[in-house]
Amino acid sequence: MVTKDTQNYTFLTEEHLMIQGAARDFAQNEIAPIAAEFDESGEFPMQTIKKMGQMGFMGIEVPEEYGGAGMDTLAYVLALEEICKADASHGTIMSVNNSLFCHGILKFGTEEQKHKYVGGVARGEKIGAYSLTEPMSGSDAGTMKSRAVKNGDGYVINGRKSWVTSGPVADYILVFTMTDAERGHNGISAFLIDGDTPGLIRGKKEPKLGIRASATSELVFEDCRVPASALLGKEGEGFKIAMTVLDAGRIGIASQALGIAEAAYAASVGYVREREAFGQPIGQFQGTAFKIADMKTRIEAARALIHNAALAKMRAKDSGERYTLEASMAKLFASETAMFVAHHAVQIHGGMGYSKELPVERYFRDAKITEIYEGTSEIQRMVIARMETGLR
Ligand code: CAA
Protein backbone atom coordinates (compact mmCIF):
# COMPACT_ATOMS: atom_id res chain seq x y z
CA MET A 1 0.00 0.00 0.00
CA VAL A 2 1.64 3.23 -1.14
CA THR A 3 0.23 6.39 0.33
CA LYS A 4 0.88 9.95 -0.81
CA ASP A 5 3.94 11.21 1.01
CA THR A 6 6.86 13.41 0.06
CA GLN A 7 5.70 14.74 -3.30
CA ASN A 8 5.02 18.19 -1.87
CA TYR A 9 8.53 18.72 -0.59
CA THR A 10 10.16 20.52 -3.47
CA PHE A 11 13.45 20.88 -1.58
CA LEU A 12 14.07 17.16 -2.02
CA THR A 13 16.58 16.57 -4.80
CA GLU A 14 16.97 13.67 -7.23
CA GLU A 15 19.68 12.35 -4.92
CA HIS A 16 17.29 12.36 -1.95
CA LEU A 17 14.66 10.49 -3.92
CA MET A 18 17.30 8.03 -5.08
CA ILE A 19 18.43 7.07 -1.57
CA GLN A 20 14.80 6.97 -0.44
CA GLY A 21 14.05 4.54 -3.27
CA ALA A 22 17.13 2.42 -2.59
CA ALA A 23 16.27 2.21 1.12
CA ARG A 24 12.65 1.38 0.32
CA ASP A 25 13.64 -1.44 -2.04
CA PHE A 26 16.21 -2.84 0.37
CA ALA A 27 13.84 -2.62 3.32
CA GLN A 28 10.93 -4.29 1.55
CA ASN A 29 13.01 -6.98 -0.19
CA GLU A 30 15.60 -7.86 2.44
CA ILE A 31 14.28 -6.74 5.82
CA ALA A 32 10.47 -7.05 5.75
CA PRO A 33 10.57 -10.82 5.05
CA ILE A 34 12.76 -11.55 8.11
CA ALA A 35 11.44 -8.93 10.54
CA ALA A 36 8.90 -11.15 12.33
CA GLU A 37 11.40 -14.00 12.72
CA PHE A 38 14.08 -11.77 14.27
CA ASP A 39 11.47 -10.08 16.47
CA GLU A 40 10.44 -13.49 17.77
CA SER A 41 13.96 -14.82 18.37
CA GLY A 42 15.52 -11.55 19.54
CA GLU A 43 18.60 -12.38 17.49
CA PHE A 44 20.78 -9.46 16.35
CA PRO A 45 20.41 -9.18 12.55
CA MET A 46 24.13 -8.88 11.82
CA GLN A 47 23.89 -10.05 8.22
CA THR A 48 21.37 -7.41 7.07
CA ILE A 49 23.15 -4.74 9.11
CA LYS A 50 26.36 -5.50 7.23
CA LYS A 51 24.50 -5.31 3.92
CA MET A 52 23.00 -1.98 4.98
CA GLY A 53 26.54 -0.81 5.62
CA GLN A 54 27.58 -1.83 2.13
CA MET A 55 24.63 0.18 0.77
CA GLY A 56 25.92 3.25 2.65
CA PHE A 57 23.04 3.38 5.16
CA MET A 58 25.24 3.18 8.27
CA GLY A 59 27.08 6.44 7.64
CA ILE A 60 24.81 8.50 5.44
CA GLU A 61 26.09 11.87 6.62
CA VAL A 62 29.66 10.72 7.07
CA PRO A 63 31.92 12.41 4.49
CA GLU A 64 33.32 10.04 1.87
CA GLU A 65 36.88 10.68 3.09
CA TYR A 66 35.91 8.97 6.38
CA GLY A 67 34.18 6.05 4.69
CA GLY A 68 30.59 7.31 4.54
CA ALA A 69 28.01 8.15 1.88
CA GLY A 70 28.67 11.91 2.12
CA MET A 71 25.01 12.88 2.01
CA ASP A 72 22.90 15.24 4.14
CA THR A 73 20.39 14.97 6.98
CA LEU A 74 17.38 14.88 4.65
CA ALA A 75 18.89 11.82 2.95
CA TYR A 76 19.38 10.29 6.40
CA VAL A 77 15.80 10.83 7.59
CA LEU A 78 14.31 9.58 4.33
CA ALA A 79 16.39 6.39 4.35
CA LEU A 80 15.82 5.69 8.04
CA GLU A 81 12.06 6.13 7.67
CA GLU A 82 12.03 3.53 4.87
CA ILE A 83 14.07 1.02 6.88
CA CYS A 84 11.70 1.49 9.85
CA LYS A 85 8.62 0.90 7.70
CA ALA A 86 9.98 -2.64 7.35
CA ASP A 87 11.52 -3.08 10.80
CA ALA A 88 12.19 -0.66 13.64
CA SER A 89 14.91 -2.91 15.14
CA HIS A 90 17.12 -2.48 12.09
CA GLY A 91 16.28 1.22 12.27
CA THR A 92 17.47 1.52 15.88
CA ILE A 93 20.85 0.00 15.05
CA MET A 94 21.13 2.23 11.98
CA SER A 95 20.20 5.33 13.92
CA VAL A 96 22.76 4.74 16.70
CA ASN A 97 25.56 4.03 14.22
CA ASN A 98 24.74 7.17 12.23
CA SER A 99 23.71 9.84 14.65
CA LEU A 100 24.80 8.87 18.15
CA PHE A 101 28.15 7.38 17.19
CA CYS A 102 29.54 8.68 13.88
CA HIS A 103 28.05 12.15 14.26
CA GLY A 104 29.53 12.58 17.74
CA ILE A 105 33.02 11.60 16.65
CA LEU A 106 32.93 13.70 13.51
CA LYS A 107 31.80 16.71 15.53
CA PHE A 108 34.09 16.37 18.53
CA GLY A 109 36.83 13.92 17.62
CA THR A 110 40.45 14.41 16.62
CA GLU A 111 41.55 13.40 13.12
CA GLU A 112 43.05 10.27 14.62
CA GLN A 113 39.76 9.34 16.34
CA LYS A 114 37.77 10.02 13.17
CA HIS A 115 40.03 7.80 11.11
CA LYS A 116 40.14 5.04 13.70
CA TYR A 117 36.46 4.83 14.64
CA VAL A 118 34.17 6.21 11.94
CA GLY A 119 34.95 4.29 8.75
CA GLY A 120 34.24 0.76 10.02
CA VAL A 121 30.96 1.83 11.63
CA ALA A 122 29.86 3.83 8.58
CA ARG A 123 30.50 0.81 6.37
CA GLY A 124 28.56 -1.49 8.73
CA GLU A 125 31.65 -3.60 9.41
CA LYS A 126 31.64 -2.46 13.03
CA ILE A 127 28.86 -1.62 15.46
CA GLY A 128 28.93 1.59 17.48
CA ALA A 129 27.13 2.34 20.75
CA TYR A 130 26.37 5.36 22.93
CA SER A 131 26.29 4.92 26.67
CA LEU A 132 24.90 7.72 28.84
CA THR A 133 22.21 6.16 31.02
CA GLU A 134 22.84 4.46 34.36
CA PRO A 135 20.52 2.46 36.62
CA MET A 136 19.88 5.55 38.80
CA SER A 137 20.23 8.28 36.15
CA GLY A 138 18.02 8.16 33.06
CA SER A 139 16.22 11.43 32.37
CA ASP A 140 18.40 13.20 34.95
CA ALA A 141 21.51 12.31 33.01
CA GLY A 142 23.77 14.74 34.86
CA THR A 143 23.65 12.70 38.08
CA MET A 144 25.59 9.65 36.93
CA LYS A 145 27.54 7.62 39.48
CA SER A 146 30.23 6.02 37.29
CA ARG A 147 33.71 7.46 37.61
CA ALA A 148 36.86 7.79 35.53
CA VAL A 149 39.92 8.50 37.67
CA LYS A 150 43.15 9.79 36.19
CA ASN A 151 45.89 7.22 36.57
CA GLY A 152 49.32 7.64 35.02
CA ASP A 153 48.84 8.48 31.36
CA GLY A 154 45.25 7.27 31.25
CA TYR A 155 42.03 6.80 33.22
CA VAL A 156 40.50 3.95 35.18
CA ILE A 157 36.74 3.63 34.80
CA ASN A 158 34.40 2.01 37.31
CA GLY A 159 30.62 1.87 37.29
CA ARG A 160 27.55 0.46 35.64
CA LYS A 161 25.85 1.81 32.53
CA SER A 162 22.42 0.65 31.39
CA TRP A 163 20.06 0.56 28.42
CA VAL A 164 22.89 0.63 25.91
CA THR A 165 21.57 0.03 22.41
CA SER A 166 23.80 -2.56 20.66
CA GLY A 167 25.61 -2.98 24.01
CA PRO A 168 26.04 -6.77 23.68
CA VAL A 169 27.69 -6.54 20.25
CA ALA A 170 29.26 -3.09 19.99
CA ASP A 171 32.85 -2.89 18.76
CA TYR A 172 33.21 0.71 19.93
CA ILE A 173 31.35 2.57 22.64
CA LEU A 174 31.02 6.27 23.30
CA VAL A 175 30.79 6.35 27.11
CA PHE A 176 29.97 9.28 29.37
CA THR A 177 31.32 9.22 32.91
CA MET A 178 32.31 11.55 35.76
CA THR A 179 35.91 12.69 35.91
CA ASP A 180 35.17 15.35 38.55
CA ALA A 181 31.98 14.69 40.51
CA GLU A 182 32.22 18.00 42.38
CA ARG A 183 31.67 19.95 39.18
CA GLY A 184 28.32 18.29 38.34
CA HIS A 185 27.52 18.51 34.61
CA ASN A 186 30.88 20.12 34.02
CA GLY A 187 32.62 17.14 35.58
CA ILE A 188 31.37 14.66 32.99
CA SER A 189 33.73 13.51 30.23
CA ALA A 190 33.26 11.45 27.07
CA PHE A 191 35.43 8.45 26.20
CA LEU A 192 35.73 6.31 23.10
CA ILE A 193 36.28 2.76 24.25
CA ASP A 194 37.12 -0.34 22.26
CA GLY A 195 34.75 -3.19 23.01
CA ASP A 196 37.55 -5.62 23.89
CA THR A 197 39.15 -3.41 26.55
CA PRO A 198 39.85 -5.48 29.70
CA GLY A 199 37.53 -4.48 32.54
CA LEU A 200 34.63 -3.73 30.20
CA ILE A 201 32.03 -6.42 30.88
CA ARG A 202 28.81 -6.89 28.92
CA GLY A 203 26.03 -7.04 31.48
CA LYS A 204 22.48 -8.28 31.46
CA LYS A 205 20.69 -8.20 28.09
CA GLU A 206 17.29 -6.55 28.45
CA PRO A 207 14.22 -8.64 27.61
CA LYS A 208 12.21 -5.97 25.79
CA LEU A 209 8.60 -5.38 24.74
CA GLY A 210 9.58 -4.15 21.28
CA ILE A 211 12.53 -3.56 18.95
CA ARG A 212 13.48 -7.03 20.11
CA ALA A 213 16.11 -7.68 17.41
CA SER A 214 18.04 -4.61 18.54
CA ALA A 215 20.17 -5.84 21.43
CA THR A 216 20.19 -3.68 24.57
CA SER A 217 22.29 -4.33 27.65
CA GLU A 218 24.11 -3.06 30.68
CA LEU A 219 27.83 -2.40 30.50
CA VAL A 220 29.86 -2.90 33.63
CA PHE A 221 33.22 -1.20 34.10
CA GLU A 222 35.55 -2.84 36.59
CA ASP A 223 38.90 -1.09 36.80
CA CYS A 224 38.71 -0.56 33.06
CA ARG A 225 41.87 1.22 31.98
CA VAL A 226 41.76 3.48 28.93
CA PRO A 227 44.51 5.69 27.50
CA ALA A 228 44.28 9.49 27.60
CA SER A 229 43.74 9.36 23.81
CA ALA A 230 40.32 7.77 24.49
CA LEU A 231 38.99 11.14 25.69
CA LEU A 232 36.55 12.69 23.19
CA GLY A 233 36.74 16.45 23.42
CA LYS A 234 38.16 17.89 26.61
CA GLU A 235 37.71 16.77 30.19
CA GLY A 236 34.43 18.18 31.52
CA GLU A 237 32.87 18.63 28.07
CA GLY A 238 31.05 15.28 28.20
CA PHE A 239 27.56 16.50 29.14
CA LYS A 240 27.46 19.05 26.33
CA ILE A 241 28.77 16.46 23.89
CA ALA A 242 26.09 14.01 25.07
CA MET A 243 23.32 16.61 24.62
CA THR A 244 24.59 17.86 21.26
CA VAL A 245 24.75 14.32 19.95
CA LEU A 246 21.27 13.57 21.30
CA ASP A 247 19.88 16.49 19.30
CA ALA A 248 20.99 14.65 16.16
CA GLY A 249 19.84 11.31 17.56
CA ARG A 250 16.35 12.63 18.28
CA ILE A 251 15.82 13.53 14.62
CA GLY A 252 16.65 9.91 13.82
CA ILE A 253 14.19 8.54 16.39
CA ALA A 254 11.53 10.86 15.00
CA SER A 255 12.13 9.33 11.55
CA GLN A 256 11.97 5.87 13.03
CA ALA A 257 8.63 6.73 14.63
CA LEU A 258 7.36 8.07 11.31
CA GLY A 259 8.36 4.84 9.57
CA ILE A 260 6.52 2.73 12.15
CA ALA A 261 3.45 4.98 11.91
CA GLU A 262 3.41 4.76 8.12
CA ALA A 263 3.63 0.98 8.15
CA ALA A 264 0.76 0.74 10.65
CA TYR A 265 -1.24 3.27 8.65
CA ALA A 266 -0.72 1.55 5.29
CA ALA A 267 -1.83 -1.77 6.79
CA SER A 268 -4.92 -0.05 8.19
CA VAL A 269 -5.94 1.60 4.91
CA GLY A 270 -5.65 -1.75 3.14
CA TYR A 271 -7.68 -3.47 5.84
CA VAL A 272 -10.56 -0.97 6.03
CA ARG A 273 -11.04 -1.21 2.28
CA GLU A 274 -11.27 -4.98 2.26
CA ARG A 275 -12.75 -6.03 5.58
CA GLU A 276 -16.53 -5.94 5.53
CA ALA A 277 -18.96 -5.79 8.43
CA PHE A 278 -22.69 -5.21 8.41
CA GLY A 279 -22.69 -5.34 4.60
CA GLN A 280 -20.02 -2.75 3.82
CA PRO A 281 -16.25 -2.15 4.02
CA ILE A 282 -15.46 -1.03 7.56
CA GLY A 283 -13.77 2.09 6.15
CA GLN A 284 -17.24 3.39 5.28
CA PHE A 285 -18.21 3.61 8.93
CA GLN A 286 -17.61 7.11 10.15
CA GLY A 287 -15.90 5.84 13.32
CA THR A 288 -13.24 4.12 11.19
CA ALA A 289 -13.01 6.85 8.55
CA PHE A 290 -12.30 9.48 11.19
CA LYS A 291 -9.52 7.32 12.62
CA ILE A 292 -7.95 7.07 9.16
CA ALA A 293 -8.19 10.85 8.72
CA ASP A 294 -6.56 11.56 12.07
CA MET A 295 -3.81 8.99 11.47
CA LYS A 296 -2.92 10.45 8.07
CA THR A 297 -3.00 14.05 9.27
CA ARG A 298 -0.70 13.36 12.19
CA ILE A 299 1.69 11.40 9.97
CA GLU A 300 2.02 14.31 7.56
CA ALA A 301 2.45 16.79 10.41
CA ALA A 302 5.20 14.58 11.87
CA ARG A 303 6.91 14.43 8.48
CA ALA A 304 6.86 18.23 8.22
CA LEU A 305 8.44 18.59 11.68
CA ILE A 306 11.11 16.02 10.80
CA HIS A 307 12.01 17.73 7.53
CA ASN A 308 12.08 21.03 9.43
CA ALA A 309 14.48 19.57 11.99
CA ALA A 310 16.65 18.01 9.27
CA LEU A 311 16.87 21.37 7.50
CA ALA A 312 17.74 23.09 10.80
CA LYS A 313 20.55 20.58 11.37
CA MET A 314 21.83 21.16 7.84
CA ARG A 315 21.84 24.93 8.40
CA ALA A 316 23.61 24.41 11.72
CA LYS A 317 26.54 22.84 9.91
CA ASP A 318 27.51 26.32 8.70
CA SER A 319 26.04 28.53 11.40
CA GLY A 320 26.99 26.36 14.39
CA GLU A 321 23.58 27.17 15.89
CA ARG A 322 21.72 24.63 17.98
CA TYR A 323 18.70 22.84 16.52
CA THR A 324 17.59 21.46 19.90
CA LEU A 325 14.08 22.93 19.64
CA GLU A 326 13.39 21.55 16.16
CA ALA A 327 14.79 18.11 17.07
CA SER A 328 12.77 17.84 20.29
CA MET A 329 9.52 18.96 18.61
CA ALA A 330 10.02 16.43 15.81
CA LYS A 331 10.79 13.61 18.25
CA LEU A 332 7.93 14.46 20.60
CA PHE A 333 5.29 14.70 17.89
CA ALA A 334 6.49 11.83 15.71
CA SER A 335 6.82 9.37 18.60
CA GLU A 336 3.38 10.21 19.98
CA THR A 337 2.05 9.90 16.42
CA ALA A 338 3.59 6.45 16.10
CA MET A 339 1.86 5.35 19.29
CA PHE A 340 -1.44 6.97 18.25
CA VAL A 341 -1.38 5.39 14.80
CA ALA A 342 -0.26 1.96 15.99
CA HIS A 343 -2.94 1.99 18.70
CA HIS A 344 -5.66 2.77 16.14
CA ALA A 345 -4.18 0.23 13.71
CA VAL A 346 -4.57 -2.57 16.26
CA GLN A 347 -8.12 -1.46 17.03
CA ILE A 348 -9.05 -1.26 13.34
CA HIS A 349 -7.69 -4.77 12.75
CA GLY A 350 -9.63 -6.15 15.74
CA GLY A 351 -8.54 -9.67 16.65
CA MET A 352 -6.13 -9.76 13.72
CA GLY A 353 -4.39 -6.69 15.12
CA TYR A 354 -3.70 -8.64 18.29
CA SER A 355 -2.30 -11.65 16.45
CA LYS A 356 1.31 -12.30 15.51
CA GLU A 357 0.04 -13.41 12.10
CA LEU A 358 0.10 -9.75 11.04
CA PRO A 359 2.88 -7.21 11.74
CA VAL A 360 0.46 -4.69 13.28
CA GLU A 361 1.02 -5.97 16.83
CA ARG A 362 4.79 -5.59 16.29
CA TYR A 363 4.33 -1.99 15.12
CA PHE A 364 2.36 -1.36 18.33
CA ARG A 365 5.10 -2.84 20.52
CA ASP A 366 7.89 -1.12 18.58
CA ALA A 367 6.20 2.29 18.62
CA LYS A 368 6.30 2.56 22.42
CA ILE A 369 10.06 2.84 22.75
CA THR A 370 10.13 5.98 20.59
CA GLU A 371 8.31 7.82 23.40
CA ILE A 372 10.97 6.68 25.86
CA TYR A 373 14.53 6.41 24.55
CA GLU A 374 16.80 9.29 23.60
CA GLY A 375 14.72 11.40 25.96
CA THR A 376 11.14 10.64 27.03
CA SER A 377 8.21 12.70 25.78
CA GLU A 378 8.25 14.43 29.16
CA ILE A 379 11.90 15.43 28.65
CA GLN A 380 11.16 16.68 25.13
CA ARG A 381 8.32 18.85 26.53
CA MET A 382 10.67 20.16 29.21
CA VAL A 383 13.35 20.99 26.61
CA ILE A 384 10.85 22.72 24.28
CA ALA A 385 9.27 24.77 27.07
CA ARG A 386 12.65 25.80 28.49
CA MET A 387 13.85 26.89 25.06
CA GLU A 388 10.70 28.90 24.45
CA THR A 389 10.29 30.58 27.85
CA GLY A 390 13.88 30.74 29.01
CA LEU A 391 12.49 29.56 32.38
CA ARG A 392 13.87 26.56 34.27
N1 CAA B 1 23.19 21.13 23.28
C1 CAA B 1 24.28 21.73 23.83
N2 CAA B 1 24.35 22.02 25.16
C2 CAA B 1 23.30 21.66 25.94
C3 CAA B 1 22.16 21.02 25.41
C4 CAA B 1 22.12 20.77 24.02
N3 CAA B 1 21.07 20.17 23.46
N4 CAA B 1 21.28 20.80 26.42
C5 CAA B 1 21.84 21.29 27.54
N5 CAA B 1 23.07 21.80 27.25
C6 CAA B 1 23.99 22.47 28.15
C7 CAA B 1 23.30 23.64 28.85
O1 CAA B 1 23.38 24.81 28.04
C8 CAA B 1 24.07 23.76 30.13
O2 CAA B 1 25.28 24.45 29.86
P1 CAA B 1 25.85 25.58 30.89
O3 CAA B 1 26.21 24.82 32.13
O4 CAA B 1 27.05 26.15 30.19
O5 CAA B 1 24.75 26.55 31.10
C9 CAA B 1 24.44 22.32 30.46
O6 CAA B 1 24.34 21.59 29.23
C10 CAA B 1 23.50 21.70 31.48
O7 CAA B 1 22.18 21.80 30.94
P2 CAA B 1 20.90 21.80 31.83
O8 CAA B 1 21.11 22.66 33.05
O9 CAA B 1 19.73 22.10 30.97
O10 CAA B 1 20.86 20.28 32.33
P3 CAA B 1 19.74 19.48 33.10
O11 CAA B 1 20.39 18.63 34.13
O12 CAA B 1 18.63 20.38 33.53
O13 CAA B 1 19.23 18.43 31.99
C11 CAA B 1 18.00 17.62 30.14
C12 CAA B 1 18.76 18.79 30.77
C13 CAA B 1 17.49 18.17 28.85
C14 CAA B 1 16.83 17.16 30.97
C15 CAA B 1 18.97 16.44 29.91
O14 CAA B 1 19.40 15.87 31.12
C16 CAA B 1 18.35 15.34 29.06
O15 CAA B 1 18.26 15.47 27.84
N6 CAA B 1 17.92 14.22 29.67
C17 CAA B 1 17.47 13.06 28.91
C18 CAA B 1 18.62 12.14 28.66
C19 CAA B 1 18.36 11.21 27.52
O16 CAA B 1 17.83 11.58 26.49
N7 CAA B 1 18.79 9.96 27.69
C20 CAA B 1 18.72 8.99 26.67
C21 CAA B 1 20.05 8.32 26.51
S1 CAA B 1 20.38 7.44 25.05
C22 CAA B 1 19.34 6.12 25.04
O17 CAA B 1 18.19 6.31 25.19
C23 CAA B 1 19.81 4.73 24.83
C24 CAA B 1 20.45 4.43 23.54
O18 CAA B 1 21.33 3.61 23.47
C25 CAA B 1 19.96 5.05 22.31
Side-chain angles (χ1 to χ4, degrees):
M1 181 79 225
V2 176
T3 53
K4 190 173 186 297
D5 51 21
T6 52
Q7 297 93 325
N8 299 322
Y9 293 95
T10 51
F11 48 76
L12 296 181
T13 62
E14 280 300 310
E15 207 183 25
H16 291 132
L17 300 180
M18 242 171 62
I19 189 160
Q20 183 187 45
R24 183 176 291 165
D25 290 347
F26 183 85
Q28 294 308 320
N29 296 332
E30 308 250 357
I31 300 178
I34 61 163
E37 185 190 325
F38 278 78
D39 170 63
E40 186 69 25
S41 70
E43 189 189 328
F44 190 87
M46 193 62 93
Q47 219 183 321
T48 32
I49 290 299
K50 286 198 184 305
K51 283 193 198 167
M52 284 166 67
Q54 287 157 12
M55 302 275 298
F57 299 152
M58 288 295 161
I60 292 180
E61 294 177 81
V62 172
E64 288 174 24
E65 60 177 303
Y66 298 112
M71 298 179 84
D72 61 19
T73 313
L74 280 169
Y76 172 53
V77 300
L78 291 169
L80 185 51
E81 175 193 335
E82 291 301 328
I83 298 297
C84 293
K85 280 188 198 170
D87 181 36
S89 290
H90 281 79
T92 298
I93 302 159
M94 173 175 165
S95 132
V96 172
N97 266 22
N98 275 275
S99 39
L100 291 190
F101 191 81
C102 290
H103 174 70
I105 296 161
L106 288 171
K107 193 154 175 65
F108 297 100
T110 61
E111 273 310 302
E112 198 186 333
Q113 288 170 328
K114 291 180 198 174
H115 282 290
K116 175 168 177 197
Y117 290 106
V118 173
V121 174
R123 287 189 296 271
E125 294 155 4
K126 303 281 184 194
I127 303 293
Y130 170 101
S131 177
L132 176 69
T133 303
E134 297 189 0
M136 293 310 289
S137 70
S139 291
D140 192 1
T143 57
M144 59 183 63
K145 297 274 177 288
S146 65
R147 300 282 182 264
V149 177
K150 228 174 189 154
N151 184 298
D153 57 355
Y155 297 83
V156 175
I157 304 178
N158 277 289
R160 184 177 287 269
K161 308 297 284 187
S162 52
W163 291 105
V164 184
T165 298
S166 299
V169 292
D171 298 284
Y172 309 131
I173 304 143
L174 173 52
V175 180
F176 299 89
T177 183
M178 280 284 182
T179 42
D180 186 350
E182 283 181 10
R183 298 189 67 217
H185 296 103
N186 294 323
I188 294 172
S189 301
F191 293 91
L192 271 169
I193 301 184
D194 289 26
D196 58 2
T197 308
L200 163 56
I201 301 149
R202 317 280 167 152
K204 172 175 74 90
K205 189 177 164 204
E206 299 296 344
K208 305 195 298 288
L209 172 73
I211 55 161
R212 288 175 36 77
S214 137
T216 311
S217 75
E218 288 194 331
L219 293 176
V220 182
F221 291 86
E222 280 182 8
D223 291 329
C224 177
R225 197 179 163 74
V226 297
S229 60
L231 196 62
L232 182 76
K234 295 199 182 78
E235 245 190 53
E237 285 182 352
F239 191 77
K240 283 187 191 159
I241 294 177
M243 292 299 120
T244 306
V245 172
L246 274 175
D247 284 345
R250 287 168 182 168
I251 301 177
I253 301 308
S255 313
Q256 174 182 48
L258 177 61
I260 300 168
E262 288 193 289
Y265 173 72
S268 303
V269 172
Y271 195 73
V272 303
R273 280 180 174 160
E274 279 164 23
R275 173 73 181 188
E276 294 199 359
F278 305 100
Q280 62 181 22
I282 60 170
Q284 279 178 351
F285 291 104
Q286 194 179 54
T288 311
F290 279 14
K291 283 190 177 75
I292 294 290
D294 288 345
M295 289 154 89
K296 176 65 173 168
T297 305
R298 291 199 193 194
I299 283 172
E300 293 307 325
R303 189 193 316 284
L305 283 169
I306 291 167
H307 287 348
N308 181 55
L311 290 167
K313 177 164 181 280
M314 283 155 61
R315 270 197 311 276
K317 214 172 171 186
D318 299 323
S319 68
E321 274 176 32
R322 276 171 57 175
Y323 49 89
T324 306
L325 177 67
E326 291 88 344
S328 282
M329 290 193 302
K331 193 211 178 245
L332 171 64
F333 192 80
S335 59
E336 294 195 345
T337 294
M339 209 50 223
F340 175 88
V341 172
H343 170 80
H344 278 332
V346 170
Q347 195 65 22
I348 283 171
H349 282 78
M352 287 313 293
Y354 203 67
S355 164
K356 283 191 184 295
E357 279 183 32
L358 292 185
V360 177
E361 64 86 34
R362 173 164 54 86
Y363 303 147
F364 182 75
R365 288 185 288 105
D366 286 350
K368 186 62 204 168
I369 191 61
T370 66
E371 292 182 323
I372 298 173
Y373 65 4
E374 298 201 25
T376 59
S377 290
E378 290 76 8
I379 288 294
Q380 306 313 324
R381 286 191 166 87
M382 184 169 134
V383 169
I384 295 163
R386 280 183 178 183
M387 301 271 321
E388 283 297 281
T389 63
L391 299 171
R392 312 175 39 80

